[in-house]
Structures are given as C-alpha cells and as structure tokens.
Amino acid sequence: MIENSHRHANESPDAIANRLMQNAHNRDGLPEIAIGASFLTFALLEWLQVAFHPGSFLSNAVVVSLMLFFPAIILLSPWAIKHVRTRFLIEKVGYVKPKPLNWKLRSKMIGVALVLAVAAIFAAYMGAFPPAGWILAGTGIGGGLLLSLIGRSSRFIVGGVAMAATGILVAFSRTSLETGFTILYGFIGILSLISGCVVFFAFMRKPAAAGEGK
Amino acid sequence: MPLCVSLLRRAKANRLSAKIQQLAEIDRIIHEPARLMIVALLAAVEEADFQYLRQTTGLTQGNLSAHLSKLEDAGYLAIEKTFRGKYPLTICRLTERGREVLDKYRKVIKAAL
C-alpha cells in the first residue's frame, strides 16, 4: 500500500486504473490458461494439416477450422474467462461490470486486421509470399511483442521473449511453415498453460477474505 | 538583451506560480492516494463490488471501508447492497458528481505537472 501511494504521485488517474485493472485481470492466471489452450489447439490443427493427405475432406476441414480459429478465439475467450470468474470465482475475485465496449476502437482494429488479411491473401495469390523462415521469425517476434504489451507483467514479458526466441530458432532450423508453426505455438502454449496453472493454484490456495466491510 | 531575458524569466515564473496556485484548488478527498485508487478504478468501470476493490487496491477491509464511507459522504460514490445467488455484494459506483470531480482533478494535475 505504501509503495502504491508513492507510485500514484507520478501517475494520472487513468494510468492508475489501467495498471490496477491489468494486475487484477492477470492475478488468477486464467488469461494465461486461455492463451495456452488456444495456442495448443492451433498447434494441433497445424499438425493435423501436415498429417492428413492434402486435398482430402479432413485436410480441407482442418484448413477451414484454421481460418475460423482466431476470430472465434478472440470473440469467445474474454466471454469464457468472465463466465468462469462470475460463476465459480466470484468470492475470490469479486464482481466487476466493465464499461460498454468501445465500438469505434474495435471497428478500427477489425478494419486493420481485414486489410492485413486481404494483403496476405493477395500476396499468396501472386506467389509473393516471403520464405517460411521469415514468416516464422516474424510471427515469433510479433507475437512475443504483442504478448508482452498486452500482459504488461513480468510473466507475460518472459513469455513474449520466449516466443520471439523460439520463432527465431525455428526460422533457422529450415523446417516447413506448418511444422514451424506447430513447434512455435506448441511450445509457447505449453509454457503459458503451465505458468497459468501454477498462478491459478497459488491464487486458489490463498484464503478468501471473510465477510465484507461497509 | 538582459532585459528580454529578465522579462522571459518573470513570465515563466508567473506561469509557474499560476500553476502552483491551481494545485491549491485540488479536491483533498480525491487527492488521498488510497481514495484516488478507488475513484480511478470506479471511473474505469460501470460498477464493482467491495471484494473486487479490496483485491485490486490491496487495501485492508477496514481501511477500504473507511475510505468508501468518506467518498459516499462526499457524494462521490453510491453504494448498494445486493445478492448474486447466495453471495452478498456491496456494489459501488461513481456518481455523476464523482466523475465531474475526478475530471476536474485530472485537468488540474495535468496542468500542474
């Protein structure tokens, strides 16, 4: 608390709120568990894409699943985390109702994602895709950066550095794109899942505060 | 030339003095670090319960309770007691006046810093 008080002297109210809410959001390890499970599922789908005969029904089904996977995860994971917290952990984490979504910002982000997706499809169509090594290294570094920025805690920064390092290592190993993605997402998925589970069990072991004030 | 420098220095000193004077207008109820944490948090959400505020701010139960009372007495906070299933909730939300005061505080601090 004393440390908090000193920090507040140099912070705006918005910065204080963002920092505290981010800490609260990461406190129970559920976001890391969600990231770990998502990455492992993505790695499994990539592996299945290699395992099935190209052009077969199963292979096509995997390709469609891969295309739908990330939009579904982006939409479903915040809802799933919120549901688990309010249904099972309310006594531990408390209740909070966030402000309505900022649709202006969200539509801008969706627009940027759509432009990038169209550019990637166009590049693939024109055969102007960069070599697999570049894509793997870029995914590792970009994903690591995103993980560190979104998480804003030492755990997520370590995860981000690990993702960037794994991406670079996989890029140098000259594997195919699918195998590289399987290794990259599989490794970071396991790492996130283990870290999230450790934090979750440590959080659950802490005794809940008895009763309420006020 | 020295006259220009002197005038510039005096103008700068006057601006600084005005900013410092503005600091005297700061709302002391919100300026207290623990209460600033509570108000800043509640400004960023629609509403939150006692347990969430306690967990997030790291304040003790008694301390948080006392600060919430002060904010409620000042009219910056509305407190409602309810249930979610069997779990009792003490829901806190910032009033319109609370939001106005925080906005004013934000502007004064920004100008002073």
Side-chain angles (χ1 to χ4, degrees):
Chain A
M1 175 55 213
I2 291 167
E3 186 199 342
N4 275 346
S5 305
H6 285 298
R7 286 178 78 172
H8 293 340
N10 304 318
E11 274 185 305
S12 73
D14 303 318
I16 294 169
N18 285 337
R19 182 169 53 75
L20 292 175
M21 285 171 72
Q22 191 66 42
N23 287 345
H25 183 63
N26 294 334
R27 194 179 44 220
D28 57 11
L30 286 183
E32 276 157 291
I33 293 173
I35 290 171
S38 309
F39 278 13
L40 280 176
T41 312
F42 185 74
L44 179 73
L45 288 172
E46 282 288 345
W47 178 76
L48 286 175
Q49 202 186 358
V50 179
F52 292 133
H53 183 69
S56 67
F57 171 75
L58 286 173
S59 172
N60 289 341
V62 169
V63 171
V64 172
S65 306
L66 274 169
M67 284 165 69
L68 296 175
F69 182 70
F70 275 113
I73 282 297
I74 288 166
L75 289 173
L76 287 179
S77 60
W79 173 83
I81 290 172
K82 191 182 163 192
H83 180 75
V84 169
R85 280 181 182 151
T86 46
R87 179 80 180 82
F88 304 106
L89 301 173
I90 195 161
E91 285 181 41
K92 280 262 183 193
V93 297
Y95 159 83
V96 62
K97 185 178 174 189
K99 277 188 170 175
L101 286 175
N102 184 349
W103 284 107
K104 205 174 168 184
L105 179 72
R106 190 155 277 209
S107 54
K108 272 184 193 169
M109 284 166 70
I110 291 170
V112 170
L114 275 176
V115 168
L116 288 175
V118 168
I121 291 166
F122 184 70
Y125 179 73
M126 298 295 287
F129 235 42
W134 284 91
I135 297 176
L136 289 168
T139 307
I141 294 167
L145 207 64
L146 207 65
L147 207 61
S148 312
L149 288 175
I150 289 173
R152 278 188 284 176
S153 74
S154 51
R155 289 189 335 254
F156 279 86
I157 291 169
V158 169
V161 170
M163 189 168 185
T166 313
I168 293 166
L169 281 176
V170 173
F172 276 114
S173 69
R174 295 174 190 276
T175 55
S176 69
L177 192 62
E178 290 81 8
T179 312
F181 273 146
T182 306
I183 296 167
L184 175 63
Y185 283 102
F187 176 64
I188 301 303
I190 290 170
L191 207 67
S192 286
L193 204 60
I194 291 170
S195 155
C197 287
V198 168
V199 173
F200 180 74
F201 286 117
F203 178 76
M204 291 307 284
R205 279 173 66 107
K206 274 187 199 166
E212 296 198 7
K214 266 307 286 170
Chain B
M1 189 66 182
L3 182 68
C4 279
V5 173
S6 164
L7 282 172
L8 279 171
R9 275 187 188 157
R10 195 173 293 169
K12 196 178 171 186
N14 283 342
R15 273 204 306 272
L16 262 174
S17 163
K19 281 179 182 177
I20 289 165
Q21 277 170 18
Q22 262 193 327
L23 276 175
E25 294 171 18
I26 268 187
D27 189 307
R28 281 164 200 274
I29 293 174
I30 281 194
H31 191 54
E32 202 282 327
R35 287 196 287 273
L36 180 60
M37 269 199 290
I38 297 166
V39 172
L41 260 173
L42 288 173
V45 298
E46 284 269 304
E47 57 187 27
D49 83 328
F50 186 89
Q51 175 69 356
Y52 180 82
L53 290 174
R54 205 185 67 77
Q55 288 272 347
T56 313
T57 57
L59 294 168
T60 61
Q61 197 167 305
N63 218 342
L64 176 60
S65 198
H67 286 306
L68 288 179
S69 290
K70 276 194 181 166
L71 288 167
E72 191 185 22
D73 291 345
Y76 300 167
L77 204 77
I79 296 174
E80 181 195 344
K81 288 203 174 234
T82 178
F83 279 88
R84 196 178 186 103
K86 284 180 183 173
Y87 178 68
L89 290 177
T90 303
I91 292 177
C92 309
R93 64 176 72 88
L94 222 52
T95 59
E96 207 47 53
R97 181 163 151 67
R99 286 189 194 277
E100 281 168 16
V101 169
L102 181 66
D103 273 346
K104 193 179 168 193
Y105 175 86
R106 200 182 271 141
K107 280 175 193 157
V108 172
I109 285 288
K110 203 175 170 185
L113 297 177

